[in-house]
Amino acid sequence: MKYVYLVGACGSIGTQALDIIRDNKDEFKVIGMSVGSNLELAYKLIEEFKPEIVCYRKESHIKELSYNPITTYGDNGLLEIAKYHKYDNELFINALVGIAGLLPTVEAIRAKKNIALANKETLVVAGDIINNLIKEYNVSLYPIDSEHSAILQCLTGEKIKEVKRLIITASGGSFRDRTREELSNVTVKEALAHPNWSMGPKITIDSATMMNKGFEVIEAHYLFNIPYDRIATILHRESIVHSMVEFNDSSIKAQIGASDMHTPIAYALKYPHHDKLNYDNLNLIGLKLNFEELSYDRYPCLKYAYDAANKGGCYLAVLNAANEAAVKLFLNNKIKFLEIENIINDEINNDEYSKIEYNLDNILSLSYKIINKILTRYGVD
Ligand code: NDP
Ligand code: MG
């Protein structure tokens, strides 16, 4: 039995993780759960899985239930779930969005939980710190992101020193068929209409700007210990090839499958097993796969991600924080789509941040400082 803690249960990844758990009750038991502000769904999921410890988004969401779990709320509640420890073989699934996911991952590792990580921002801002903690506490971290699940599968049985490069595929996001000129007045509704995947709002915008692919390059660097100059990206509009690994002899391994997050989530939860799943099978007949160049001119955020990665230190936290604030402003109709890029570019070119020492406390305080600074400029909390 795996004893599961799931933070972000009401979201796109959270609910799909619960689909897997629901179908595998003999293998997984939910011990802790954090729920979001969709309260109808929150109470329904709590009553269905009856976790021992529950974290609500806000104190005002706490409600009398048919049983009496340990009840917490807010950021501290997330940490209580991460720290809760009662069983051997505990798995912490992080399906939160943004920098809010970092400390829960850190505390879950310190509590000797294995990690199934959807919250890519954790690795983007603090990849070295997380890798050191994983070694220190001797736990495993399994990626949920489909590209990294694909790379993990392609690397199985292979030697990292024989890898020439990783090739991460990108669908192109909601505006892939528009020129940059056509992006100036796009609406939030248009940006949220992703052609291949149904995901939470933040990652859907990150896909449209291509910052999501930049984050995935950084995530891959920390997960697989491959230098940035050997991590490439390619536009693949079908989202069938989830990513590839090219080896020194020019052989390329690809992992392919339907565009359904249940598969990579199940692989992270059940690693290294490919057990039967009740979701979409890929029909190979008539399938056509296309690959195109991803250009920095069309998608500057991809370049900004490599720039911040090459600057190193706290610049990845700066990149993430500027993006987090800018995406929130766009979603709140405070800025236009293309202004997201300008906000990020201004922050990563600020030399002040080079003086800040890379450690967990500084990463957190700097991130919230930058987010608040940018939001305040536009009158948003
Ligand atoms: P969603 O927005 O769909 O869900 C996130 C959930 O977490 C919501 O229920 C939200 O509650 C809750 N949450 C967010 N912030 C906090 C916080 N500070 N405290 C407590 N709860 C919080 O996001 P996704 O499921 O799409 O994404 C989750 C993570 O997975 C992201 O890092 C994303 O990049 C990554 N990912 C997602 C994929 C997908 O297909 N969706 C694919 C690959 C990676 P509330 O509604 O109250 O805000
Ligand atoms: Mg992905």
Side-chain angles (χ1 to χ4, degrees), residues 91 161 171 333 340 349:
L91 180 69
K161 67 172 196 279
S171 68
N333 290 304
I340 298 175
N349 284 312

Side-chain angles (χ1 to χ4, degrees), residues 48-188:
E48 178 183 356
F49 290 93
K50 296 201 165 44
E52 290 177 21
I53 172 164
V54 172
C55 172
Y56 292 95
R57 193 87 156 90
K58 292 185 182 155
E59 190 176 14
S60 58
H61 297 169
I62 297 174
K63 171 184 141 158
E64 199 167 324
L65 300 164
S66 67
Y67 74 112
N68 284 318
I70 300 167
T71 301
T72 64
Y73 64 91
D75 294 347
N76 276 336
L78 295 173
L79 300 184
E80 278 192 56
I81 294 208
K83 290 176 185 169
Y84 194 85
H85 178 73
K86 203 163 161 188
Y87 303 91
D88 291 335
N89 206 9
E90 292 184 327
L91 180 69
F92 185 79
I93 307 172
N94 189 337
L96 297 171
V97 181
I99 185 77
L102 173 58
L103 258 191
T105 309
V106 167
E107 289 303 340
I109 296 173
R110 287 182 177 146
K112 304 226 25 134
K113 294 176 170 65
N114 292 318
I115 310 291
L117 189 70
N119 179 256
K120 62 188 80 188
E121 296 89 346
T122 287
L123 281 180
V124 169
V125 303
D128 278 326
I129 292 167
I130 296 295
N131 279 342
N132 288 337
L133 283 168
I134 285 169
K135 267 191 225 125
E136 184 182 345
Y137 289 90
N138 194 24
V139 300
S140 298
L141 185 147
Y142 309 109
I144 283 180
D145 220 343
S146 57
E147 294 76 4
H148 306 80
S149 179
I151 293 168
L152 181 63
Q153 292 173 62
C154 293
L155 287 173
T156 300
E158 306 291 354
K159 295 189 176 55
I160 285 289
K161 67 172 196 279
E162 294 173 6
V163 171
K164 192 193 284 176
R165 58 180 187 145
L166 309 180
I167 307 166
I168 300 181
T169 53
S171 68
S174 28
F175 299 133
R176 64 190 183 189
D177 293 317
R178 299 195 194 207
T179 61
R180 282 190 67 77
E181 291 66 42
E182 289 168 337
L183 293 180
S184 34
N185 286 316
V186 290
T187 64
V188 172

Side-chain angles (χ1 to χ4, degrees), residues 8-14 16 34-38 57 75 78 94-98 100 118-121 144-146 197-201 203 212 216 261:
C10 292
S12 160
I13 294 290
Q16 293 179 85
S34 93
V35 289
S37 16
N38 177 346
R57 193 87 156 90
D75 294 347
L78 295 173
N94 189 337
L96 297 171
V97 181
N119 179 256
K120 62 188 80 188
E121 296 89 346
I144 283 180
D145 220 343
S146 57
W197 302 94
S198 162
M199 308 183 286
I203 185 176
N212 182 50
E216 290 180 354
M261 284 306 295

Side-chain angles (χ1 to χ4, degrees), residues 122-371:
T122 287
L123 281 180
V124 169
V125 303
D128 278 326
I129 292 167
I130 296 295
N131 279 342
N132 288 337
L133 283 168
I134 285 169
K135 267 191 225 125
E136 184 182 345
Y137 289 90
N138 194 24
V139 300
S140 298
L141 185 147
Y142 309 109
I144 283 180
D145 220 343
S146 57
E147 294 76 4
H148 306 80
S149 179
I151 293 168
L152 181 63
Q153 292 173 62
C154 293
L155 287 173
T156 300
E158 306 291 354
K159 295 189 176 55
I160 285 289
K161 67 172 196 279
E162 294 173 6
V163 171
K164 192 193 284 176
R165 58 180 187 145
L166 309 180
I167 307 166
I168 300 181
T169 53
S171 68
S174 28
F175 299 133
R176 64 190 183 189
D177 293 317
R178 299 195 194 207
T179 61
R180 282 190 67 77
E181 291 66 42
E182 289 168 337
L183 293 180
S184 34
N185 286 316
V186 290
T187 64
V188 172
K189 193 171 167 223
E190 289 169 319
L192 287 177
H194 194 285
N196 302 1
W197 302 94
S198 162
M199 308 183 286
K202 188 207 174 233
I203 185 176
T204 305
I205 304 302
D206 288 345
S207 300
T209 61
M210 210 48 75
M211 183 54 87
N212 182 50
K213 217 42 57 182
F215 283 172
E216 290 180 354
V217 166
I218 298 159
E219 201 184 352
H221 167 77
Y222 288 113
L223 283 169
F224 306 112
N225 193 19
I226 303 278
Y228 287 109
D229 60 1
R230 290 201 279 128
I231 308 178
T233 55
I234 195 165
L235 183 65
H236 166 54
R237 45 181 69 230
E238 293 84 11
S239 294
I240 296 294
V241 175
H242 296 308
S243 276
M244 300 177 257
V245 177
E246 183 174 354
F247 295 91
N248 290 335
D249 59 2
S250 298
S251 167
I252 296 180
K253 270 169 112 175
Q255 188 267 338
I256 81 171
S259 320
D260 184 340
M261 284 306 295
H262 286 101
T263 309
I265 294 170
Y267 192 63
L269 267 59
K270 289 164 165 272
Y271 181 87
H273 299 290
H274 288 281
D275 291 342
K276 184 177 181 319
L277 274 191
N278 302 323
Y279 298 95
D280 275 5
N281 291 320
L282 180 63
N283 183 5
L284 290 168
I285 306 299
L287 195 62
K288 293 198 173 52
L289 302 176
N290 292 283
F291 299 97
E292 295 156 67
E293 197 185 336
L294 255 189
S295 109
Y296 285 165
D297 289 338
R298 172 63 183 76
Y299 292 111
C301 283
L302 182 59
K303 178 172 183 297
Y304 301 158
Y306 278 99
D307 288 349
N310 289 323
K311 282 188 159 196
C314 287
Y315 275 97
L316 287 174
V318 173
L319 176 83
N320 179 68
N323 180 63
E324 205 159 316
V327 170
K328 185 167 178 181
L329 289 173
F330 174 68
L331 285 170
N332 283 283
N333 290 304
K334 296 286 180 189
I335 59 170
K336 293 193 166 188
F337 183 74
L338 288 175
E339 284 177 77
I340 298 175
E341 295 169 356
N342 300 338
I343 289 176
I344 297 164
N345 195 26
D346 283 354
E347 290 299 325
I348 59 169
N349 284 312
N350 184 338
D351 290 337
E352 279 294 301
Y353 303 133
S354 61
K355 298 177 200 136
I356 300 171
E357 196 193 330
Y358 177 87
N359 62 45
L360 187 60
D361 286 346
N362 287 349
I363 286 171
L364 285 164
S365 57
L366 178 63
S367 296
Y368 286 111
K369 198 172 128 197
I370 292 174
I371 291 173

